[in-house]
């Protein structure tokens, strides 16, 4: 499972639920202190004391309910709103002058927490429903709407609806982002499969075609058939129809993805560094010169393998297009922030526009096997070619600190 990005679905609304939990506790303390300092105004203080005691128990017992959207059920929301409405309607019973003054109700601003829970759970429509009931209860408690009552009700109504709307937008954005990441992961997986096909099956078919044509006879017919299959497979790869599967986190494939993600985080079995020189030294030969630093060139195992595969693809292009007599040079540079590998040959070079034409024909060696690999590693691949003066491919891979490095294979 190479090149798959981990989709971390951390709910964007979770901080709002934590804030609501703190809000309920703080407003409970505020309501209790408010009633304590104004206890002399109550004709029936035992009503206020009984309600606030119940409110304290209810708030403490239901804190886990407002920890997240899953635990905040519709039944709880209904009961919570009933508690808030009951506190508002009990205020005149505890304070006979409440209808003639603009003093606070028994639950005070704790009521807004019940409305905000509706907003976080169901969006602005649920918030409008709950705040409308609170507005009606406040009007009944006051007997007639006053300017202060109207102001407080309007404030709760607007704030809760605004928060509910923001939550809905955040959820929609989260779904869009998750879908985009899934599409990107599927695209990367498709490109990885296309690279593997190009580096194995297509190369073999091309070789069979060349050798069969050279041998003639029945071998020529086999070569022709191999050439037809190569063209068909290249068309399939370039059309983007290489099959990919959607991986469930609970499936066995999901376990593989999680293992790859552990490798990407630097906690898996492939977290160790690899010396890039050892992987590239195998290419050295009579027509390939290999120049390396004196010290190990260390990269995460997956990144080193992918970079070596890109170098191998570049050498394959030299052998296929520069001719058997062409020479190639591999130069490895270990810079402080990146590793640079340069592959140069003395072949005839690449005519202008040939790469675009090859990509259009489904020949994706440079596009996938080289540039695609480097892109997945966070690096770049630059190809410079002058007709008659050879070709140079410069591959750059950044050195990413352990724990952030992406294992591409």
């Amino acid at each position: 499972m190479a090149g798959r990005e981990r989709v971390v679905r951390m709910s964007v609304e979770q901080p709002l639920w934590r804030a609501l939990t703190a809000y309920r506790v703080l407003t409970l303390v505020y309501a209790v202190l408010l009633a304590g300092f104004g206890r002399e105004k109550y004709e029936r203080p035992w009503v206020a004391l009984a309600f606030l005691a119940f409110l304290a128990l209810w708030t403490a017992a239901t804190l886990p309910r407002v920890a997240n959207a899953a635990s905040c059920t519709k039944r709880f929301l209904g009961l919570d709103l009933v508690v808030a409405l009951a506190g508002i309607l009990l205020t005149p019973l505890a304070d006979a002058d409440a209808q003639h003054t603009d003093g606070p109700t028994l639950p005070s601003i704790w009521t807004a927490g019940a409305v905000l829970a509706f907003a976080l759970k169901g969006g602005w429509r649920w918030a409008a429903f709950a705040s409308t009931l609170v507005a009606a209860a406040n009007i009944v408690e006051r007997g007639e709407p006053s300017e202060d009552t109207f102001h407080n009700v309007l404030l709760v109504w607007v704030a809760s609806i605004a928060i509910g709307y923001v939550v809905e937008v955040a959820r929609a954005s989260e779904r869009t982002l998750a879908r985009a990441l899934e599409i990107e992961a599927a695209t990367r997986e498709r490109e990885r499969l296309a690279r593997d096909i190009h580096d194995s099956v297509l190369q073999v078919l091309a070789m069979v075609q060349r050798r069969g044509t050279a041998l003639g006879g029945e071998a020529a017919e086999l070569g022709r058939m191999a050439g037809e299959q190569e063209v068909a497979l290249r068309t399939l790869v370039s059309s983007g129809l290489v099959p990919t599967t959607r991986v469930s986190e609970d499936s066995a494939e999901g376990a593989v993805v999680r293992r790859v993600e552990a490798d990407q985080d630097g906690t898996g079995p492939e977290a160790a560094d690899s010396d890039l020189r050892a992987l590239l030294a195998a290419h050295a030969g009579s027509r390939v010169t290999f120049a390396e630093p004196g010290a190990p060139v260390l990269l995460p195992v997956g990144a080193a393998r992918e970079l070596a595969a890109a170098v191998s693809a570049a050498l394959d292009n030299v052998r296929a297009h520069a001719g058997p007599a062409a020479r190639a040079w591999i130069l490895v540079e270990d810079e402080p922030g990146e590793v640079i590998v340069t592959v140069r040959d003395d072949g005839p070079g690449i005519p202008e526009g040939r790469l675009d034409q090859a990509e259009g024909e489904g020949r994706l060696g440079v596009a996938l096997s080289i540039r695609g690999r480097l892109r997945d590693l966070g690096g770049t691949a630059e190809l410079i070619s002058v007709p008659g003066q050879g070709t140079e491919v410069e591959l750059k891979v950044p050195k990413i600190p352990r724990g952030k490095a992406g294992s591409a294979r």
Side-chain angles (χ1 to χ4, degrees):
M1 290 285 174
R4 179 174 289 276
E5 295 286 346
R6 178 174 54 185
V7 180
V8 182
R9 296 200 175 188
M10 178 179 177
S11 176
V12 294
E13 64 191 71
Q14 192 57 41
L16 296 176
W17 286 105
R18 288 196 291 266
L20 177 60
T21 302
Y23 178 87
R24 288 168 68 90
V25 174
L26 294 177
T27 53
L28 169 67
V29 173
Y30 176 77
V32 171
L33 292 177
L34 201 63
F37 287 126
R39 60 184 179 276
E40 67 281 351
K41 70 175 183 178
Y42 291 116
E43 284 78 8
R44 301 179 184 87
W46 61 270
V47 175
L49 179 62
F51 174 78
L52 291 175
F54 174 79
L55 186 64
L57 293 174
W58 173 260
T59 301
T62 58
L63 284 181
R65 288 288 192 174
V66 291
N68 51 64
S71 58
C72 188
T73 62
K74 294 180 180 180
R75 180 180 179 183
F76 163 74
L77 287 175
L79 293 175
D80 199 52
L81 185 60
V82 167
V83 171
L85 298 178
I88 295 173
L89 297 177
L90 284 174
T91 302
L93 184 62
D95 180 11
D97 293 332
Q99 292 185 336
H100 307 292
T101 63
D102 289 321
T105 59
L106 288 178
S108 184
I109 56 176
W110 185 94
T111 304
V115 177
L116 292 177
F118 271 81
L120 295 183
K121 177 68 176 181
W124 71 269
R125 293 175 181 82
W126 288 30
F129 170 75
S131 56
T132 300
L133 292 182
V134 169
N138 273 280
I139 293 175
V140 171
E141 183 266 334
R142 294 300 179 189
E144 59 182 16
S146 65
E147 183 177 348
D148 287 342
T149 301
F150 177 78
H151 176 269
N152 293 335
V153 166
L154 183 62
L155 182 63
V156 172
W157 200 74
V158 171
S160 60
I161 290 180
I163 292 176
Y165 179 76
V166 169
V167 169
E168 289 187 0
V169 172
R171 285 173 179 164
S173 300
E174 187 179 13
R175 289 192 297 269
T176 302
L177 176 61
R179 178 57 181 160
L181 291 176
E182 288 179 359
I183 293 174
E184 181 184 7
T187 301
R188 288 179 180 270
E189 182 69 6
R190 182 181 293 113
E191 290 182 355
R192 184 193 69 81
L193 292 174
R195 285 198 298 266
D196 289 346
I197 292 173
H198 176 274
D199 294 346
S200 56
V201 181
L202 290 177
Q203 297 283 23
V204 172
L205 290 175
M207 182 187 70
V208 172
Q209 181 188 22
R210 291 195 299 270
R211 295 293 298 275
T213 302
L215 293 174
E218 294 183 359
E221 178 63 17
L222 291 177
R224 184 189 65 79
M225 294 174 63
E228 293 177 352
Q229 293 303 311
E230 180 195 4
V231 172
L233 189 53
R234 286 187 186 278
T235 302
L236 180 65
V237 170
S238 61
S239 66
L241 297 179
V242 177
T244 59
T245 57
R246 186 168 183 173
V247 180
S248 169
E249 293 186 358
D250 297 329
S251 64
E253 292 83 356
V256 176
V257 173
R258 289 191 294 274
R259 186 174 69 247
V260 172
E261 291 169 354
D263 295 337
Q264 292 176 343
D265 289 337
T267 59
E270 294 193 0
D273 288 334
S274 175
D275 187 356
L276 180 64
R277 301 178 308 168
L279 298 177
L280 298 182
H283 296 296
S286 60
R287 296 196 174 278
V288 178
T289 302
F290 179 48
E292 59 182 318
V297 181
L298 299 179
L299 284 173
V301 172
R305 289 176 180 172
E306 288 295 276
L307 181 54
V311 171
S312 179
L315 292 175
D316 287 340
N317 286 337
V318 173
R319 287 188 288 268
H321 304 295
R327 291 185 56 84
W329 291 263
I330 304 174
L331 173 63
V332 179
E333 300 173 83
D334 191 4
E335 300 293 338
E338 62 183 0
V339 172
I340 304 175
V341 180
T342 304
V343 180
R344 184 170 61 87
D345 66 69
D346 60 357
I350 303 175
E352 185 176 356
R354 179 68 186 107
L355 289 179
D356 293 336
Q357 179 184 354
E359 187 171 347
E361 295 173 353
R363 301 181 181 274
L364 305 175
V366 174
L368 291 180
S369 294
I370 299 179
R371 287 176 178 160
R373 279 191 167 97
L374 271 292
R375 183 188 63 242
D376 288 348
L377 295 175
T380 59
E382 183 177 359
L383 189 146
I384 302 174
S385 182
V386 178
Q389 299 183 21
T391 301
E392 180 176 299
V393 180
E394 186 179 69
L395 311 175
K396 294 182 179 180
V397 175
K399 291 182 177 179
I400 304 176
R402 177 64 56 78
K404 295 182 180 179
S407 172
R409 198 172 186 83

